């Protein structure tokens, strides 16, 4: 059993949204209720997704998995995407979105990406610590929302997107080529980032527009 970090809740509150925490045990009957009653879905960070859910056997560097949370979040994500309501995916959520749409992950960046940066950097640092830059596609929604194409971000992940799921396009990379952002161009608001913008909002206003745009889209 896991808990949603306080920083997600405060980031939504900061921009005028009303956070509702969804238990990671939500079942199929709950998904329909949540899809009916919520205005936006934020997929939060957490541990690794079971590789069997994207067709691979577990490699030795895999972290512990939570089958109940995987089932719940993948199902809710697919149900949610049947609507056109806003979805913001962060870190594990970014990976959940990708797997929900048939994408594949690197089970460990260090094991699979030659000369990769240390993306697990903030494991030993405060979460707001900036670890590497990201370069965004100038035509992406995310670049338009954030008002630029290059940002320094935190980094607290050892996995990353290897191949993108259906309808997702890559919109941002780290300097080592690791995918850091994707979005769904055909959807009104489906934005997904590998870093933790919610942990940056207290120290800097850089990521405020992302939460403002998400809550604004959910309220429209
Ligand atoms: Mn990173």
């Amino acid at each position: 059993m896991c808990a949603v970090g306080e920083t997600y809740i405060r980031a939504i509150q900061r921009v005028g949204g009303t956070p509702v925490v969804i238990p990671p045990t939500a079942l199929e009957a709950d998904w329909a209720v949540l899809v009916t009653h919520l205005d936006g879905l934020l997929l939060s960070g957490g541990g690794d997704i079971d590789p069997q859910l994207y067709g691979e056997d577990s490699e030795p560097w895999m972290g512990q998995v939570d089958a109940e949370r995987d089932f719940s979040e993948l199902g809710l994500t697919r149900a949610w995407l049947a609507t056109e309501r806003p979805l913001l995916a962060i870190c594990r959520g970014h990976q959940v979105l990708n797997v929900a749409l048939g994408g594949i992950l690197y089970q460990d960046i260090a094991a699979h990406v030659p000369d990769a940066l240390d993306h697990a950097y903030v494991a030993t640092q405060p979460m707001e610590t900036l670890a590497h830059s990201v370069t965004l596609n100038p035509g992406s929604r995310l670049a338009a929302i954030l008002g630029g194409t290059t940002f320094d971000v935190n980094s607290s992940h050892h996995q990353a997107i290897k191949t993108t799921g259906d309808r997702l396009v890559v919109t941002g990379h780290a300097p080592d080529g690791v995918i850091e952002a994707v979005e769904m161009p055909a959807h009104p608001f489906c934005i997904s980032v590998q870093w933790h913008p919610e942990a940056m909002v207290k120290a800097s206003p850089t990521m405020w527009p992302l939460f403002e745009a998400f809550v604004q889209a959910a309220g429209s």
Side-chain angles (χ1 to χ4, degrees):
M1 190 68 165
C2 55
V4 172
E6 184 182 352
T7 47
Y8 297 94
I9 293 165
R10 295 209 180 273
I12 295 299
Q13 287 179 321
R14 180 186 285 271
V15 295
T18 303
V20 176
V21 177
I22 301 169
T25 53
L27 296 173
E28 201 157 356
D30 305 318
W31 303 338
V33 176
L34 292 164
V35 166
T36 303
H37 292 286
L38 298 180
D39 296 318
L41 180 65
L42 191 164
L43 294 170
S44 63
D48 295 346
I49 300 166
D50 186 341
Q52 294 204 341
L53 295 167
Y54 48 91
E56 291 192 355
D57 292 329
S58 250
E59 296 172 357
W61 30 75
M62 267 293 301
Q64 199 178 355
V65 298
D66 180 340
E68 196 173 31
R69 185 176 178 189
D70 286 348
F71 175 78
S72 185
E73 290 185 340
L74 287 167
L76 176 59
T77 299
R78 293 188 185 112
W80 188 267
L81 287 170
T83 76
E84 297 220 309
R85 266 170 286 156
L87 190 156
L88 174 61
I90 293 174
C91 200
R92 167 189 162 89
H94 165 82
Q95 298 170 1
V96 166
L97 173 67
N98 190 54
V99 171
L101 294 168
I104 294 171
L105 306 178
Y106 287 120
Q107 291 186 41
D108 187 73
I109 294 169
H112 290 285
V113 182
D115 303 320
L117 298 166
D118 180 8
H119 287 267
Y121 185 72
V122 299
T124 56
Q125 306 278 337
M127 272 297 273
E128 67 270 24
T129 307
L130 301 176
H132 61 72
S133 64
V134 289
T135 301
L136 304 179
N137 178 337
S140 64
R141 275 206 188 101
L142 184 58
I145 289 167
L146 293 178
T149 54
T150 307
F151 295 92
D152 289 327
V153 298
N154 51 9
S155 193
S156 182
H157 58 110
H158 81 109
Q159 301 194 329
I161 291 180
K162 181 178 178 184
T163 64
T164 50
D166 292 342
R167 295 176 284 154
L168 294 176
V169 299
V170 176
T171 55
H173 291 93
D176 56 7
V178 165
I179 294 171
E180 289 273 341
V182 300
E183 61 190 43
M184 189 182 286
H187 188 286
F189 193 111
C190 179
I191 293 177
S192 181
V193 297
Q194 182 63 75
W195 67 93
H196 279 277
E198 83 291 348
M200 294 170 65
V201 295
K202 196 172 174 187
S204 150
T206 317
M207 294 294 150
W208 291 3
L210 179 55
F211 292 97
E212 285 165 351
F214 172 59
V215 168
Q216 191 172 38
S220 60

